[in-house]
Amino acid sequence: MRATVLVRPKPGILDPQGQAVESSLRHLGFEVADARVGRLVDVELTTDDRDEAQAQLERMCEQLLTNPLIESYEIAFGAGA
Amino acid sequence: MRATVLVRPKPGILDPQGQAVESSLRHLGFEVADARVGRLVDVELTTDDRDEAQAQLERMCEQLLTNPLIESYEIAFGAGA
């Protein structure tokens, strides 16, 4: 079973990468109000049980994939390449 | 209008970050078949026209947000925090 974990800086957390992207987009002539940069992890799980997959992914996020102090995450199934 | 750009390494392109995540997840006891790491950019556009937003985002991807040689992108509306 395939899933995508989306990791974003929490609101209020400084995001220098996002600021750089926003500034560069403006310099290129794009009208943007805000830009934030996060990361994504596509995970191919061996389980095909959706609930089990959700539980495993949450543990992965807590143990490795995110820093819960400064990042929030979202789990999406069936998305991605 | 808010949109999220998902950027992934193309299939076949070496992804050392994904390999490290996959290896670490296995060491933690998770059964994963594959992991790939990409990035995401949440963009708040000033336009509210969906087609115009799509066109702008595609130009942003070509000019700044992605390296088309090694990365593919996907544009999602209405997602994200």
Side-chain angles (χ1 to χ4, degrees), chain A residues 17-71:
Chain A
Q17 235 188 317
Q19 290 172 342
V21 166
E22 185 183 331
S23 165
S24 297
L25 286 173
R26 290 216 179 107
H27 280 295
L28 288 170
F30 294 106
E31 289 182 8
V32 294
D34 190 33
R36 306 272 288 172
V37 173
R39 60 186 186 282
L40 65 85
V41 187
D42 287 321
V43 184
E44 180 78 44
L45 297 159
T46 54
T47 180
D48 277 326
D49 181 284
R50 168 77 177 253
D51 291 342
E52 171 61 24
Q54 174 82 28
Q56 282 188 20
L57 288 160
E58 286 176 9
R59 287 206 306 278
M60 290 178 193
C61 285
E62 285 154 20
Q63 291 180 34
L64 181 77
L65 301 181
T66 74
N67 177 345
L69 286 175
I70 57 169
E71 293 170 330

Side-chain angles (χ1 to χ4, degrees), chain A residues 4 6-8 21 24-25 28 30-46 56 59-60 63-65 74 79-81, chain B residues 4 6-8 21 24-25 28 30-46 56 59-60 63-65 74 79-81:
Chain A
T4 300
L6 306 171
V7 184
R8 296 180 163 94
V21 166
S24 297
L25 286 173
L28 288 170
F30 294 106
E31 289 182 8
V32 294
D34 190 33
R36 306 272 288 172
V37 173
R39 60 186 186 282
L40 65 85
V41 187
D42 287 321
V43 184
E44 180 78 44
L45 297 159
T46 54
Q56 282 188 20
R59 287 206 306 278
M60 290 178 193
Q63 291 180 34
L64 181 77
L65 301 181
E74 182 187 346
Chain B
T4 300
L6 305 171
V7 184
R8 296 179 162 95
V21 165
S24 297
L25 287 174
L28 289 169
F30 294 106
E31 290 183 7
V32 293
D34 190 33
R36 305 273 287 173
V37 173
R39 61 187 185 282
L40 65 85
V41 187
D42 287 320
V43 183
E44 179 79 45
L45 297 159
T46 54
Q56 282 187 21
R59 287 206 307 278
M60 289 178 194
Q63 292 180 33
L64 181 76
L65 300 181
E74 182 187 345

Side-chain angles (χ1 to χ4, degrees), chain B residues 44-57:
Chain B
E44 179 79 45
L45 297 159
T46 54
T47 180
D48 277 326
D49 181 284
R50 169 78 177 251
D51 291 341
E52 171 62 23
Q54 175 83 28
Q56 282 187 21
L57 288 160

